[in-house]
Amino acid sequence: MKCFSVAIDGPAGAGKSTMAKRVAEALGFLYVDTGAIYRTVGLAARRAGVEDSAGTAALLPGLKVALDYGADGLQHMYLNGEDVTAEIRRPEISLYASRVSAIPEVRSFLLQKQRDLAATRNVVMDGRDIGTVVLPNADVKIFLTAAPEERARRRHAELLERGMDSTYENVLADLTERDQNDMNRPVAPLRRAEDAVQVDTTGISLEDSFTLLLDTIQRRIAL
Ligand code: DC
């Protein structure tokens, strides 16, 4: 059976997870949030108190990173059996995730895990290198982006809604630093795949962005 895959890449706060989740629901596909997988490794590094590449790579053989989909349909992340789904969303984990994601050993540790998820199911997968590295043969590739200030505004609102304390300035600084890390790392940097459709949602409402995205995808996959 042919499995369809939709790759959605883009910088932090571009709305990838919100959009990918809704698109997956509309298509009846599984939504895979690959950032959550890197966040789980970032959390492990933070807990172990390691900041450097060699120390992080040394942790990998002892790490069990797993995910499943609960009755709520949400992707739950497990670190050595512990459900860390909520904890990996803490703002301080974002930078750890970005740092560990630049380490080649971490990327290869997680690569097959991501490919396996798409091997037997129709998926919408979001991340930074899905269209370029993880699923280079994805049926549809989207590069979702928006201006940094708008992405920071959205991310800030989202954190406040979750009851997390943060300022717009801190969120913007964090996004800018992560964009720099993610775009400039030597391995699997964030970049638009040549065959990806770029969708810029600056100044476009959530509803209109969703319609635009779903339409773009449906025109490319005939289900
Ligand atoms: O999507 P997110 O913001 O939750 O991702 C957290 C970090 O993980 C992000 O700064 C970069 C990294 N990441 C990555 O390098 N490759 C992916 N496919 C997904 C995320």
Side-chain angles (χ1 to χ4, degrees), residues 34-35 38-39 97-98 101 107 127-130 178 182 185:
T34 64
Y38 284 94
R39 282 171 181 271
S98 184
S101 71
R107 300 208 75 85
R128 304 293 189 286
D129 63 336
I130 310 305
R178 283 211 287 147
D182 298 345
R185 64 182 177 223

Side-chain angles (χ1 to χ4, degrees), residues 44-100:
R46 183 169 197 263
R47 284 185 176 176
V50 291
E51 302 252 341
D52 64 312
S53 304
T56 306
L59 289 178
L60 298 175
L63 283 193
K64 268 207 215 99
V65 175
L67 59 87
D68 74 11
Y69 293 83
D72 50 11
L74 295 178
Q75 176 180 323
H76 284 254
M77 291 305 312
Y78 299 88
L79 175 59
N80 298 329
E82 176 192 347
D83 188 336
V84 293
T85 311
E87 196 174 350
I88 57 170
R89 293 295 148 201
R90 300 195 63 80
E92 64 272 22
I93 302 302
S94 303
L95 268 183
Y96 271 90
S98 184
R99 279 187 208 134
V100 301

Side-chain angles (χ1 to χ4, degrees), residues 94-198:
S94 303
L95 268 183
Y96 271 90
S98 184
R99 279 187 208 134
V100 301
S101 71
I103 303 169
E105 289 87 344
V106 171
R107 300 208 75 85
S108 47
F109 177 70
L110 298 178
L111 182 60
Q112 197 56 41
K113 205 179 279 297
Q114 296 168 82
R115 286 187 176 155
D116 288 347
L117 286 162
T120 52
R121 280 161 287 202
N122 296 330
V123 294
V124 176
M125 195 174 270
D126 79 7
R128 304 293 189 286
D129 63 336
I130 310 305
T132 50
V133 176
V134 179
L135 305 175
N137 298 320
D139 298 278
V140 189
K141 298 181 187 177
I142 304 284
F143 193 80
L144 193 67
T145 187
E149 294 73 16
E150 177 138 350
R151 292 190 278 119
R153 259 194 307 277
R154 291 179 192 163
R155 183 53 62 93
H156 183 224
E158 194 183 299
L159 289 173
L160 293 185
E161 213 179 281
R162 288 205 194 121
M164 291 181 190
D165 202 20
S166 70
T167 64
Y168 166 78
E169 288 72 22
N170 284 346
V171 175
L172 180 61
D174 170 82
L175 281 187
T176 310
E177 184 176 347
R178 283 211 287 147
D179 285 353
Q180 287 309 315
N181 287 348
D182 298 345
M183 288 187 299
N184 295 316
R185 64 182 177 223
V187 187
L190 167 65
R191 65 174 179 80
R192 180 187 156 191
E194 269 168 28
D195 49 350
V197 180
Q198 176 147 331

